[in-house]
Amino acid sequence: MRAVVVGGAGFLGGAIAEELLRRGDSVVVFDELVSTERCAAVFGPGAVEIAAADMLDAAALSDAFSGADEVYHLAGILGTSELEERVQDAIISNIAGAVGVFEAAIECRVPRVFFPAKPNVWRNTYTITKYAAEQFAQMYAATGQVAIPTLRYFNGYGPRQCLGPVRKLVPTFVAQALSGLPLTVYGDGQQTVDMIYSRDLARHTVDFTRSGYIGEPVDLGRGVEMSVLDVASAVNRVVGSDAGIVHLPMRRGETPSTHLVADNRPLERLLGPLHFTDFTTSLEETVVWYARLPRDDIRGAVEALEAA
Ligand SMILES: NC(=O)c1ccc[n+]([C@@H]2O[C@H](COP(=O)([O-])OP(=O)(O)OC[C@H]3O[C@@H](n4cnc5c(N)ncnc54)[C@H](O)[C@@H]3O)[C@@H](O)[C@H]2O)c1
């Protein structure tokens, strides 16, 4: 099987590329921020083909997609308050980028494109652009020219998730804990999240994409509701930090008291029982990965968080 991972140099695209390689597939990493050295470090020397290009470049997409059996579209820009000043960028990347990928797949007769959506709970730039792309996915899929199986991912975490500039829960908490600082929690911390390990997410994504599913988007989380305070305590415990937490006012773009948990039943009806790595074990693996980063990277991330 030949698969192209658009955004394959990123956090989840990288996890999916690894999963595909584990299954013996041939993988093309298509990303605007990709290099031979970085791919060699992550996947092994020569393990993947590289297409270093912008997904807005239709000719580059056609080149990469020709002869592909599958495309995984993991490129885009993320953020809540971070995208307040970048509405146009988000529209271009998350909507126009996705439409370009769907059209190139149709032109190149790629039978299926995986698309990652998200829970549509907040009215912010990120959610609006992802929801628009999700709707375009349904529209193109309805033509019958391409299948676009879509999962609504909940809160991914794991090795290689960026420390910044977008503030994500686990990288932020781990960087603070490794620096001996209290973890900064927005609001009262009772809002909930559904944390899913990137390796589990990648495995279920590939199974789902290959299941032949055609239809409405379905959820993928661990199906376990955790408060942000629970996540913070787990990070402090795993890192061994006794610096505790501090509360910050709720940031713009997020609604207080949100309760997030995936309904995995539709996916389980399709794939059978879903198995997940134990939360503490996966958090330990994640912390080990961050702890191996150069200290300057952690220090820089913490300084950027403090300045934001
Ligand atoms: N991380 C999560 O928990 C989560 C949850 C729900 C949905 N998603 C979706 O999954 C996808 C991947 O998220 P991630 O966390 O891996 O993000 P990421 O920022 O780590 O990776 C995105 C990748 O896309 C690439 N990219 C961006 N614009 C590009 C362009 N114009 N051309 C080529 N490459 C480009 C970037 O270089 C980067 O490597 C996104 O679409 C995101 O909305 C993620």
Side-chain angles (χ1 to χ4, degrees):
M1 193 86 74
R2 179 178 171 81
V4 182
V5 185
V6 183
F11 165 49
L12 296 179
I16 289 170
E18 269 185 326
E19 174 64 23
L20 293 165
L21 290 171
R22 201 183 58 74
R23 294 179 190 221
D25 297 317
S26 92
V27 176
V28 180
V29 169
F30 184 110
D31 202 297
E32 63 178 353
L33 295 179
V34 65
S35 68
T36 311
E37 297 70 35
R38 189 164 162 191
C39 279
V42 173
F43 306 113
V48 296
E49 272 178 59
I50 295 172
D54 190 321
M55 66 176 154
L56 299 169
D57 178 345
L61 283 181
S62 293
D63 274 356
F65 288 5
S66 110
D69 301 296
E70 294 176 333
V71 167
Y72 293 80
H73 174 44
L74 276 296
I77 59 173
L78 294 78
T80 47
S81 50
E82 294 89 349
L83 293 186
E84 274 182 358
E85 310 292 328
R86 300 188 61 198
V87 177
Q88 298 282 4
D89 291 345
I91 290 171
I92 291 167
S93 292
N94 294 346
I95 305 178
V99 165
V101 167
F102 302 148
E103 291 190 341
I106 290 172
E107 181 205 314
C108 296
R109 301 184 189 283
V110 180
R112 54 181 179 263
V113 177
F114 169 77
F115 178 72
K118 66 181 285 295
N120 299 313
V121 289
W122 296 320
R123 188 179 295 136
N124 60 32
T125 301
Y126 177 46
T127 304
I128 292 167
T129 56
K130 290 295 293 183
Y131 185 64
E134 178 191 306
Q135 292 297 305
F136 276 115
Q138 294 291 303
M139 185 189 93
Y140 283 101
T143 66
Q145 294 171 285
V146 63
I148 311 186
T150 298
L151 286 173
R152 289 202 175 118
Y153 286 162
F154 280 63
N155 308 87
Y157 67 95
R160 296 197 302 276
Q161 187 170 26
C162 270
L163 285 164
V166 175
R167 188 184 173 108
K168 298 297 257 178
L169 204 54
V170 166
T172 300
F173 285 169
V174 173
Q176 290 170 331
L178 287 172
S179 308
L181 295 169
L183 312 190
T184 48
V185 169
Y186 289 122
D188 62 9
Q190 296 298 341
Q191 63 273 32
T192 64
V193 285
D194 185 347
M195 306 300 297
I196 174 163
Y197 193 36
S198 50
R199 289 178 180 150
D200 296 332
L201 180 145
R203 198 174 65 253
H204 296 318
T205 295
V206 177
D207 287 343
F208 172 71
T209 303
R210 294 181 175 177
S211 70
Y213 177 81
I214 292 176
E216 292 292 314
V218 297
D219 284 1
L220 175 59
R222 207 158 43 98
V224 177
E225 192 173 8
M226 281 182 91
S227 72
V228 170
L229 282 181
D230 289 340
V231 178
S233 306
V235 170
N236 273 335
R237 194 171 55 248
V238 167
V239 173
S241 169
D242 55 10
I245 63 156
V246 288
H247 292 271
L248 298 180
M250 207 66 207
R251 65 174 164 172
R252 295 227 304 269
E254 290 181 17
T255 318
S257 313
T258 308
H259 285 269
L260 276 182
V261 63
D263 176 2
N264 281 340
R265 286 172 299 180
L267 193 57
E268 289 196 313
R269 278 196 287 276
L270 193 67
L271 303 181
L274 302 175
H275 299 289
F276 297 98
T277 313
D278 165 69
F279 180 66
T280 303
T281 306
S282 57
L283 191 57
E284 284 167 357
E285 288 176 11
T286 305
V287 166
V288 164
W289 186 84
Y290 286 108
R292 286 193 185 129
L293 290 178
R295 298 308 293 176
D296 280 353
D297 289 11
I298 301 287
R299 197 172 308 120
V302 167
E303 282 168 11
L305 287 167
E306 285 169 354

